[in-house]
């Protein structure tokens, strides 16, 4: 599944060779894979990707409840934390809202 491990190969000095750092796009894709596997909800996409000292924080918008008409759908914003290799550390829903509602800012923490 998502996440990466260190290569078992060794370089000329006998040191383990590490993988290159993940790009923001790779981190977003990995976070979406983790979240959709855990929640079985339909991710719409990443809304933010932030590197940190201990890994990455990704916010993902998800369709929580499909309704008719689609303008009545319920959406949610999830915060996913990954280590530097893309392994899941934690996730949580930070906001739930109707499609088309006014943006209340990052994670709805106002």
């Amino acid at each position: 599944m998502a996440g990466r491990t260190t290569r078992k190969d060794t370089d000329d000095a006998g040191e383990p060779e590490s993988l290159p750092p993940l790009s923001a796009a790779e981190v977003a894709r990995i976070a979406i894979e983790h979240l959709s596997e855990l929640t079985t909800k339909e991710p719409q996409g990443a809304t933010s990707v932030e590197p940190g000292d201990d890994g990455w924080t990704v916010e993902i918008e998800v369709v929580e409840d499909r309704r008719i008409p689609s303008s009545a759908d319920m959406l949610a914003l999830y915060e996913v934390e990954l280590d530097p290799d893309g392994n899941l550390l934690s996730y949580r829903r930070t906001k739930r809202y109707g499609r088309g509602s006014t943006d209340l800012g990052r994670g709805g923490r106002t």
Side-chain angles (χ1 to χ4, degrees):
M1 175 65 223
R4 302 177 338 156
T5 57
T6 303
R7 292 186 189 128
K8 302 295 183 203
D9 303 334
T10 57
D11 62 15
D12 293 336
E15 301 276 330
E17 187 178 324
S18 62
L19 293 170
L22 292 169
S23 70
E26 291 171 315
V27 168
R29 181 189 49 76
I30 291 167
I32 288 169
E33 287 177 13
H34 282 303
L35 188 64
S36 84
E37 181 179 331
L38 290 167
T39 64
T40 69
K41 303 289 184 188
E42 181 185 340
Q44 296 296 290
T47 61
S48 72
V49 179
E50 294 180 40
D53 293 335
D54 299 326
W56 296 86
T57 301
V58 181
E59 286 187 328
I60 300 169
E61 189 173 56
V62 172
V63 176
E64 288 262 306
D65 187 20
R66 287 225 174 262
R67 298 186 179 169
I68 298 175
S70 62
S71 60
D73 288 350
M74 291 302 295
L75 304 177
L77 194 62
Y78 282 81
E79 183 177 273
V80 178
E81 293 185 18
L82 303 174
D83 71 10
D85 292 324
N87 298 305
L88 180 69
L89 298 174
S90 68
Y91 81 98
R92 67 188 178 103
R93 185 174 66 194
T94 58
K95 182 178 166 185
R96 187 175 157 108
Y97 51 95
R99 186 182 297 276
S101 65
T102 304
D103 185 16
L104 299 174
R106 179 175 161 81
R109 296 179 207 125
T110 56

